[in-house]
Amino acid sequence: MTRASKRKSDDQNSTPIKTARVDSVRSASSKAAKKVEERIDELYTKYVNQSSCVIEPEGVEALCSDLKVDCTDVRILMLAWKMNAQKQGYFTQDEWRRGLKTLKVDTITKLKKSLPELEKEALKSENFVNFYRYAFRYCLTEDNKKCLDIETACVLLQLVLGVRYQAQVDSFITFLKSQSEYKVINMDQWTNFFRFCQEISFPDLNNYDSDEAWPLILDNYVDWTKRRDNVATA
Amino acid sequence: MSSGQKKRNFQIEAFKHKVVVDPKYAEKTWKVLEHAIHEIYNHNASGLSFEELYRNAYNMVLHKYGEKLYSGLVSTMTFHLQTMSKSIEAAHGGSFLEELNSKWSDHNKALQMIRDILMYMDRTFIPSTRKTPVHELGLNLWRDNVVHSDKIQTRLLNTILELILRERTGEVINRGLMRNIIKMLMDLGASVYQEDFEKPFLDVSADFYRVESQEFIECSDCGDYLKKAERRLNEEIERVSHYLDVKSEAKITNVVEKEMIANHMLGLVHMENSGLVKMLLDDKFEDLGRMYNLFRRVPNGLSTIRDVMTSHIRDTGKQLVTDPEKSKNPVEFVECLLEKRDKYDKIISLAFGNDKTFQNALNSSFEYFINLNPRSPEYISLFVDDKLRKGLKGVKEEDIELILDKVMMLFRYLQEKDVFEKYYKQHLAKRLLSGKTVSDDAERSLIVKLKTECGYQFTSKLEGMFTDMKTSQDTMQGFYATYGAELANGPTLVVQVLTTGSWPTQSSVTCNLPSEMLALCEKFRSYYLGTHTGRRLSWQTNMGTADLRATFGNGQKYELNVSTYQMCVLMLFNGADSLSYREIEQATEIPSSDLKRCLQSLACVKGKNVLRKEPMSKDIVEDDGFSVNDKFTSKLRKVKIGTVVAQKESEPEKQETRQRVEEDRKPQIEAAIVRIMKSRRVLDHNNIIAEVTKQLQSRFLANPGEIKKRIESLIERDFLERDNADRRLYRYLA
């Protein structure tokens, strides 16, 4: 686990080795680190639900209004990603600490300022697949442990991919809503849709080959698109 | 050769003669020989002494005058040949060849003698000087001076070709003479034969046949043309055997084949009203056989016939299976298929020499069009059902086997064998339960054939059905052995105990049995469960039959053979004169659609209306009233009312069966995928599709889209995963 790992960076609560030379430096930085931790925890208490000791949806809402960001904004999702939050709408203390520490912020203002940077980071190609898959998992619930219902999936797609691949997302969402064969989307289909956006030329879809291992739902989508186009031009 | 004896005074001298010193010796000796050659050519050889001439020649060679001898020979012979040549040139018309032949004969004789005389030179001088041996020299000189002489060469060729042409147009020519002349050319060497005769002969023949074939094709139909072509071919072969070099046979037959057959192949095959298709339709075995034998001689000949035959079979086959008229009667449908197969089998065996490639083309065509009709599996099963119910009654065992083998042959063509299995099971169940099978042996024989074709799994359930029937018989025997005395006065019960897994699935809804039967059934149930613990029995009241003895108001007595449902309804009338539909429904608890059908069969069918319905309409509503028809009469004492004959399925039933088949296929596809992935570990998409399709081929044709769906389902359930780097690869998750 390298320090650069964003998902699983643990609380860096390692006790400093007390050597004569670095002692002062260490203790100075450990004091500073302690201060940061304290502020982070303080911030936590601002939003935490007293009885459950985790930040609940109301707390998240409050956080969002403080950040002057809409709750449904993708940046909140990215924040959750940084925290590696497991449950949608809830942040545990560990997750909170993890997220804010990695972002190196300890106040609301600093957190707000870090959001653009965070956004850029998530959208970087090497991270995006990670974030994209996380987004799917984040939205799974107790009832639907493996799949997202179509409604949720459409919203999420718009949120996560809308900026980059607006045309494809719009078209695909229309398809999903108009068909009745699939009631849910699973992780495999989710992941492959992103790959579809990356690899397949749009809107002609010329290089799509249904003999390759595309999920059947995408085959159906392509057929639907082609039929629509034929009707439109006819 | 000297004696070596030095005792005597004189010595026996060796060959050395004083004559050696004579410078004129050579000349003198040569003159003798020259004279001899003249005499020989002048048919005056009888006066010559072989020994003397031989000796002279020998001496010349020995004394180193071989050169003179040789050149003298050349010039003398040449002189004579030129004389002969003039004589031949002078011959008129028909005698030209005769003269040539005669002179050739003379020359050969002369040459023979000369060669004998000059044998020593032939053996010593000639090899050492590498000159042409005498015999060969003689032939060469003949060639150069006679055959290749200006006035003879062309005339010879033309004469020969003229004669051949005349023979081709029907005249009789002197074959012996031709043979000699041609043999002469052959003797002069292969290149003379080929250049001076064969090549021009082939060219002229090609022209001849080109023209003739064009004429024929414009005025003959296909069959006639082929006859003519065959005749010409045979003629040429015969010609070669009589007077040409045997090596020419292949060449001239090639010419005929090319001009008469290859060039007109397509035209012949597609000739209107007489081409291949017509021949096939009319079973013209002789013509077809002739076509086959002729066409196999040319490149692509057979494949042309095969292709046309294949597309014809496919077209007519397609018409046959998509014809709605034929589809009305399944038995007729299958009989048409069998007829067609028999027809082409006969053609292939009688006309096409059982050619395997044609057999294969026939098979692939059948496979193609049989599967165009999705009901083919059902119909074939119905055909078998009909045969096993009554069609094979009284038929000899070996004939039964023949018919079953034919059925198997059609079965092999089916792509959806699992559909056939489903229907066969249904039909077999009905046959077994109604006891309507003509021959138990025939049934079993067919099962064995299916097992050989498809393996144990295919037939294990079917065999289970037979076993159940047998076991049930034993159970009934046991039952009556135990309770026989008690039950002697009551109704007789015959139970078939069916193992759920083996028989076609039916939803079982029990109805209320009449009290007379209830006790008996319960007794059986407890008897059975007594001997077979841990089992559960449920009565299939929708599948049974009953025999009732009925006495009607008019005094008539009949024996009614009815279904179990019908029995339940009829028995009610022992206790009531008339009942409404509602009352009957309540009492029997038979499901309404079945009950309606049941009542219709009892009250609305002419000749079988043991009940009377009020009102008389065909539809049944809640308030309709039913009573016993005391006026019922029938010609037969035993009246059959309920039958459970296998019939062509109605649309909704068909949909249902098709759906069940599709459902059954899903786990089979998944099992195949898991099997393959387990052994390969990692495999790409296209290969999985190919492998799965291959594995399932013997049962049905797997749809790639369906396979994809199953793969995705397996991914979802964590049996497989996609490879991270290459999305086309799948990985088996242990």
Side-chain angles (χ1 to χ4, degrees), chain A residues 133 146-147 181-182 186 188-189 191-192 195 210-217 219, chain B residues 685-686 689 704-706 708-709 712 715-718 722 724 726-730:
Chain A
R133 291 171 69 107
K146 286 202 158 171
C147 308
E181 198 184 335
Y182 290 91
N186 62 31
D188 184 51
Q189 290 159 326
T191 324
N192 274 290
R195 190 182 149 226
S210 59
D211 285 337
E212 295 195 350
W214 294 106
L216 209 52
I217 195 175
D219 288 344
Chain B
H685 182 81
N686 286 334
I689 302 278
E706 192 57 48
K708 215 191 215 188
K709 242 192 190 159
E712 280 174 36
I715 291 180
E716 223 177 302
R717 281 136 60 197
D718 291 327
R722 285 188 205 267
N724 275 327
D726 182 357
R727 293 281 165 179
R728 274 178 305 227
L729 282 182
Y730 298 104

Side-chain angles (χ1 to χ4, degrees), chain B residues 264-471:
Chain B
H264 297 281
M265 214 157 57
L266 290 173
L268 285 169
V269 160
H270 293 295
M271 209 182 255
E272 276 215 46
N273 294 330
S274 66
L276 177 59
V277 171
K278 189 81 175 33
M279 288 181 190
L280 289 172
L281 286 172
D282 293 348
D283 288 328
K284 293 248 193 289
F285 301 120
E286 203 193 301
D287 286 342
L288 288 168
R290 185 170 296 116
M291 185 185 267
Y292 181 81
N293 282 325
L294 288 174
F295 277 50
R296 76 171 353 160
R297 289 166 164 271
V298 300
N300 296 327
L302 290 188
S303 62
T304 305
I305 300 182
R306 202 170 41 236
D307 291 341
V308 172
M309 182 186 87
T310 304
S311 64
H312 171 70
I313 296 179
R314 284 187 185 214
D315 286 339
T316 49
K318 185 171 173 185
Q319 270 173 16
L320 177 67
V321 304
T322 51
D323 180 357
E325 280 302 310
K326 289 257 151 48
S327 298
K328 284 204 179 128
N329 183 338
V331 177
E332 201 185 296
F333 178 88
V334 174
E335 277 177 349
C336 287
L337 290 176
L338 289 176
E339 243 177 64
K340 200 174 181 63
R341 182 68 217 265
D342 281 341
K343 177 192 170 82
Y344 282 99
D345 267 345
K346 203 165 169 200
I347 289 179
I348 292 180
S349 88
L350 288 182
F352 296 155
N354 275 321
D355 187 322
K356 262 227 161 9
T357 57
F358 280 78
Q359 200 67 41
N360 290 344
L362 176 65
N363 285 338
S364 80
S365 304
F366 262 74
E367 194 177 319
Y368 162 77
F369 70 73
I370 277 189
N371 289 301
L372 287 178
N373 185 338
R375 298 194 85 163
S376 292
E378 186 194 346
Y379 289 170
I380 295 178
S381 177
L382 284 170
F383 175 83
V384 173
D385 182 76
D386 177 84
K387 289 281 171 238
L388 288 169
R389 264 178 197 275
K390 45 180 160 55
L392 291 176
K393 203 164 193 174
V395 178
K396 285 202 298 273
E397 195 181 310
E398 54 249 20
D399 291 335
I400 293 184
E401 285 295 302
L402 256 144
I403 293 182
L404 293 182
D405 282 334
K406 286 192 179 162
V407 169
M408 281 311 294
M409 177 191 61
L410 289 181
F411 171 76
R412 260 176 232 121
Y413 292 137
L414 289 174
Q415 274 170 353
E416 300 197 296
K417 295 188 171 67
D418 58 344
V419 174
F420 174 87
E421 188 195 358
K422 223 176 199 49
Y423 282 111
Y424 189 76
K425 223 191 202 187
Q426 278 174 19
H427 301 154
L428 176 64
K430 287 190 183 141
R431 279 200 302 277
L432 287 175
L433 292 178
S434 58
K436 284 262 185 290
T437 180
V438 145
S439 156
D440 233 17
D441 286 337
E443 295 270 6
R444 286 188 183 276
S445 169
L446 188 53
I447 303 279
V448 168
K449 289 186 204 292
L450 285 170
K451 184 150 84 174
T452 319
E453 186 67 28
C454 300
Y456 168 69
Q457 280 204 323
F458 195 90
T459 51
S460 60
K461 296 207 178 126
L462 303 173
E463 289 182 337
M465 288 159 78
F466 278 95
T467 316
D468 281 348
M469 297 300 290
K470 181 86 190 13
T471 317

Side-chain angles (χ1 to χ4, degrees), chain B residues 39-52:
Chain B
E39 290 294 271
I40 287 170
Y41 272 102
N42 293 333
H43 305 111
N44 247 350
S46 51
L48 300 170
S49 158
F50 176 78
E51 195 274 335
E52 185 197 339

Side-chain angles (χ1 to χ4, degrees), chain A residues 182-213:
Chain A
Y182 290 91
K183 306 272 190 308
V184 292
I185 298 285
N186 62 31
M187 175 61 99
D188 184 51
Q189 290 159 326
W190 176 260
T191 324
N192 274 290
F193 179 68
F194 176 57
R195 190 182 149 226
F196 176 85
C197 293
Q198 284 179 307
E199 293 183 18
I200 302 297
S201 70
F202 197 82
D204 51 271
L205 307 176
N206 275 341
N207 58 337
Y208 184 86
D209 182 358
S210 59
D211 285 337
E212 295 195 350

Side-chain angles (χ1 to χ4, degrees), chain B residues 587-612:
Chain B
T588 59
E589 288 190 2
I590 296 175
S592 59
S593 57
D594 291 322
L595 182 55
K596 287 196 176 125
R597 257 209 310 269
C598 169
L599 285 169
Q600 277 169 343
S601 64
L602 288 170
C604 308
V605 179
K606 204 167 157 206
K608 314 254 167 126
N609 50 339
V610 290
L611 288 183
R612 234 187 24 221

